[in-house]
Amino acid sequence: MYSESGGISLWRGSQLASARVNVVPCGSETLAAELPGGGWPKGALTDLLVQQPGVGEMRLLLPALRAVAQRRIAFLQPPHRFQPEAAAYWGLPETSINVVRAQKTADALWAGEQILRAGTFGALIFWQTHVRPEALRRLHLAAQTSESLFFMVRPLAAASDTSPAPLRIAVRPARDSVSLEFVKRRGPARDEPLVVGLTHSPILLNRHASVDRRVSAAPQPRSLPAELVVHE
């Protein structure tokens, strides 16, 4: 990679990439030690490959979402309905959460690009089952024009698909925690899963984090057409 001074900064395959990586703290020292740069990357696609939606991926991301909550946070094509009270439990301003739905995959992909290029969102979480490689590349390129966190939440089966994402993590539920497998990262392979503890929430009834499985209404993003925004 090239440094800001015009020189070349290299990272070895046996070392985690760290130089000039723009990240948001992940809220876990254990996880930070395994992430290039020590946090979740801004301006890049990150693949979260889940056993099923709601296994703890939202609680895993909460520290980072709280860190960027002064800007808008977009939930694109979330799989379940979300109660407004969940934002308070999560420690997020309800007004920061923008829920976007589209009837067609092509419209959802277009909306994702617009959100990333808008420059006004602190984070985009995009749930999608099937995405063509060229669509992923377009989204990754759009992310690189922004300072946004960008997470694609996809099924575990997608781990075998090609992806331009520099960071790909398989997420499985564990007792009061999640088990993370680094499918891809800029650095050495990790053979053993990493177990990261999750904080409890008063409205979580089981380990599958029911709060993660619902989606809330939120103010309409001005940069998106009204037909792509649902007030639930």
Side-chain angles (χ1 to χ4, degrees):
M1 71 173 58
Y2 288 87
S3 69
E4 294 176 357
S5 61
I8 298 177
S9 176
L10 300 176
W11 58 269
R12 299 173 184 268
S14 60
Q15 299 175 334
L16 286 177
S18 59
R20 296 179 176 84
V21 177
N22 193 5
V23 301
V24 173
C26 62
S28 164
E29 291 185 4
T30 301
L31 178 56
E34 299 293 337
L35 291 174
W40 298 115
K42 291 183 178 180
L45 164 62
T46 296
D47 256 339
L48 293 183
L49 308 165
V50 299
Q51 182 172 302
Q52 68 184 57
V55 296
E57 69 275 11
M58 285 301 298
R59 284 188 289 164
L60 178 69
L61 299 180
L62 275 181
L65 295 182
R66 292 188 187 111
V68 300
Q70 71 277 12
R71 301 170 65 194
R72 292 186 290 174
I73 297 169
F75 292 168
L76 178 55
Q77 300 295 77
H80 299 280
R81 187 176 176 83
F82 164 87
Q83 299 298 332
E85 292 83 1
Y89 282 119
W90 287 352
L92 297 173
E94 183 182 342
T95 54
S96 71
I97 300 175
N98 295 253
V99 177
V100 182
R101 292 189 183 276
Q103 293 184 349
K104 298 179 180 180
T105 298
D107 292 336
L109 294 170
W110 177 86
E113 285 192 51
Q114 304 313 305
I115 289 169
L116 292 168
R117 295 186 186 280
T120 57
F121 287 82
L124 166 62
I125 305 177
F126 187 179
W127 287 262
Q128 192 66 41
T129 302
H130 301 292
V131 189
R132 291 179 177 274
E134 58 268 26
L136 284 176
R137 286 193 293 270
R138 286 181 61 89
L139 288 166
H140 182 51
L141 288 173
Q144 289 177 317
T145 69
S146 76
E147 287 289 306
S148 301
L149 292 171
F150 175 32
F151 299 95
M152 286 285 293
V153 183
R154 302 198 286 153
L156 275 176
S160 60
D161 298 341
T162 60
S163 171
L167 180 61
R168 308 186 75 203
I169 301 177
V171 183
R172 294 179 175 87
R175 185 175 181 84
D176 298 326
S177 59
V178 285
S179 175
L180 307 180
E181 176 188 349
F182 289 86
V183 177
K184 178 183 176 183
R185 65 176 177 175
R186 288 175 174 164
R190 179 186 169 94
D191 296 329
E192 296 295 325
L194 176 71
V195 176
V196 177
L198 299 176
T199 57
H200 291 282
S201 169
I203 60 174
L204 298 183
L205 301 180
N206 57 55
R207 67 178 184 177
H208 293 303
S210 57
V211 57
D212 296 340
R213 303 170 68 121
R214 291 177 271 179
V215 183
S216 170
Q220 174 181 329
R222 295 181 181 178
S223 58
L224 297 173
E227 63 267 20
L228 293 181
V229 182
V230 174
H231 297 268
E232 297 180 319

